[in-house]
Amino acid sequence: MSTNKVWFITGASRGFGRDLVTQLLEQGYRVAATSRNLDELRKIANEDNFLPLTADLGTEASVAKAIADTVERFGRIDVVVNNAGYGQVGGLEELSDEESRANFDINVFGLLNVTRQALPYLRKQGSGHILNISSIAGTIGSFPAFGIYCATKFAVNGLSESLAEEVRPFGIKVTIVAPGYFRTSFLSSGSMSTPKKEIAEYQNVRETQLAHQQHYNGNQPGDPVKAAQAMIKITEVENPPLHLFLGEDALGLAEEKINRLTTEMKEWREITVSTGF
């Protein structure tokens, strides 16, 4: 294991990001971490191996400065973790254009800004590993109330698969990290946004929303410390996975999706193949 690697992590003041920073520093890695709240980052550690940065992921100039400051401080970047994001709850009819686009701005376009600014450094050094923190909701979308959030994570999965092929010739690796339910602050009000305008008829949406806020929150089966350890581990292997599911629940849901697709493809095969000339 090479603890000389430099990690760059977004959304590091809470949740997975914070646990990952803590684990990395304990193991002797050099870490640059971004957040909108610099004071919270500074509470994590005060040592030469740690560079807390404030960054607006929606502004390329801000992202470019954070990346450049990291390279200036540590000389390189080896692992980029696109962790920043939030959950948007609400039925598709309920959520406004503004609410929907805001979720994409952080979860997708913020990730793209970081990736776009980091790649010139990774290409020049001929190595690197990009970890895009997605979700099981990027593989299976059958969650009432989470349609927009699922859409952002499906987008992350799709662009990550393309990215992996584009950067392969440069020695850069890509991993989509897809957690299930982990006991972080993700389901709290600071990390999950609810619709400004609710429609009473969508009882299934309200039931799902309330279940996540009142039942799942604080009772998630996944240990975020172990998730951080798993993410560190895959950056030290020669051939890391493109898709890394975290949690038994995530694995089960992914298998359910695969089985459902397989069944549908077999059932409708005749119509599927009848469309050629």
Side-chain angles (χ1 to χ4, degrees), residues 7-18 20-21 31-36 41 53 55-57 63 66-67 79-85 106-107 110-115 118 131-133:
W7 288 60
F8 180 89
I9 304 168
T10 67
S13 63
R14 60 169 64 191
F16 278 134
R18 190 182 186 98
L20 189 53
V21 170
V31 181
T34 77
S35 174
R36 293 171 296 178
L41 282 181
L53 298 163
D56 175 6
L57 300 187
V63 173
I67 296 283
V79 183
V80 175
V81 184
N82 282 304
N83 173 67
I106 297 298
N107 292 8
L111 177 150
L112 282 170
N113 284 341
V114 172
T115 303
L131 274 60
N132 287 335
I133 309 301

Side-chain angles (χ1 to χ4, degrees), residues 37-59:
N37 191 330
L38 195 58
D39 290 337
E40 284 299 314
L41 282 181
R42 286 173 174 157
K43 293 177 183 178
I44 298 176
N46 181 20
E47 54 185 86
D48 291 340
N49 276 4
F50 183 48
L51 178 62
L53 298 163
T54 183
D56 175 6
L57 300 187
T59 305

Side-chain angles (χ1 to χ4, degrees), residues 10 22 27 34 45 74 81 86 112 121 128 135 180 194 204 209 224 267:
T10 67
T22 301
Q27 295 179 35
T34 77
F74 296 126
V81 184
Y86 70 95
L112 282 170
Y121 296 98
S135 167
T194 55
N204 59 343
Q209 178 181 328
E267 182 179 354

Side-chain angles (χ1 to χ4, degrees), residues 103-123:
N103 204 207
F104 271 87
D105 282 343
I106 297 298
N107 292 8
V108 180
F109 293 107
L111 177 150
L112 282 170
N113 284 341
V114 172
T115 303
R116 191 181 299 116
Q117 294 301 322
L119 278 174
Y121 296 98
L122 303 184
R123 281 193 295 105

Side-chain angles (χ1 to χ4, degrees), residues 224-236:
V225 173
K226 292 179 180 178
Q229 293 169 349
M231 284 186 264
I232 296 170
K233 187 178 294 184
I234 64 162
T235 67
E236 297 297 339

Side-chain angles (χ1 to χ4, degrees), residues 25-173:
L25 292 175
E26 287 178 356
Q27 295 179 35
Y29 289 90
R30 294 172 290 172
V31 181
T34 77
S35 174
R36 293 171 296 178
N37 191 330
L38 195 58
D39 290 337
E40 284 299 314
L41 282 181
R42 286 173 174 157
K43 293 177 183 178
I44 298 176
N46 181 20
E47 54 185 86
D48 291 340
N49 276 4
F50 183 48
L51 178 62
L53 298 163
T54 183
D56 175 6
L57 300 187
T59 305
E60 280 198 282
S62 178
V63 173
K65 185 178 186 307
I67 296 283
D69 287 348
T70 301
V71 175
E72 182 178 358
R73 172 72 169 270
F74 296 126
R76 60 188 292 120
I77 294 177
D78 296 288
V79 183
V80 175
V81 184
N82 282 304
N83 173 67
Y86 70 95
Q88 176 62 66
V89 181
L92 293 172
E93 185 182 350
E94 294 177 320
L95 293 173
S96 66
D97 180 74
E98 180 183 8
E99 289 171 303
S100 302
R101 288 178 185 271
N103 204 207
F104 271 87
D105 282 343
I106 297 298
N107 292 8
V108 180
F109 293 107
L111 177 150
L112 282 170
N113 284 341
V114 172
T115 303
R116 191 181 299 116
Q117 294 301 322
L119 278 174
Y121 296 98
L122 303 184
R123 281 193 295 105
K124 185 177 180 180
Q125 66 195 30
S127 65
H129 196 165
I130 299 172
L131 274 60
N132 287 335
I133 309 301
S134 182
S135 167
I136 186 58
T139 298
I140 182 168
S142 53
F143 302 101
F146 282 91
I148 290 299
Y149 177 71
C150 288
T152 68
K153 295 305 184 180
F154 268 73
V156 167
N157 286 15
L159 68 87
S160 297
E161 290 184 359
S162 291
L163 177 66
E165 296 304 315
E166 292 173 1
V167 301
R168 190 186 305 279
F170 308 113
I172 302 168
K173 301 176 175 66

Side-chain angles (χ1 to χ4, degrees), residues 201-262:
E201 287 83 352
Y202 282 105
Q203 287 300 309
N204 59 343
V205 170
R206 291 290 78 72
E207 288 169 3
T208 301
Q209 178 181 328
L210 290 174
H212 282 77
Q213 291 172 315
Q214 298 175 4
H215 177 66
Y216 296 141
N217 193 20
N219 296 302
Q220 300 97 321
D223 182 345
V225 173
K226 292 179 180 178
Q229 293 169 349
M231 284 186 264
I232 296 170
K233 187 178 294 184
I234 64 162
T235 67
E236 297 297 339
V237 300
E238 185 175 352
N239 296 303
L242 174 57
H243 296 272
L244 177 67
F245 294 98
L246 292 179
E248 190 172 350
D249 55 345
L251 186 63
L253 286 167
E255 290 173 340
E256 177 187 319
K257 173 68 174 285
I258 291 168
N259 292 337
R260 188 184 306 167
L261 277 173
T262 301

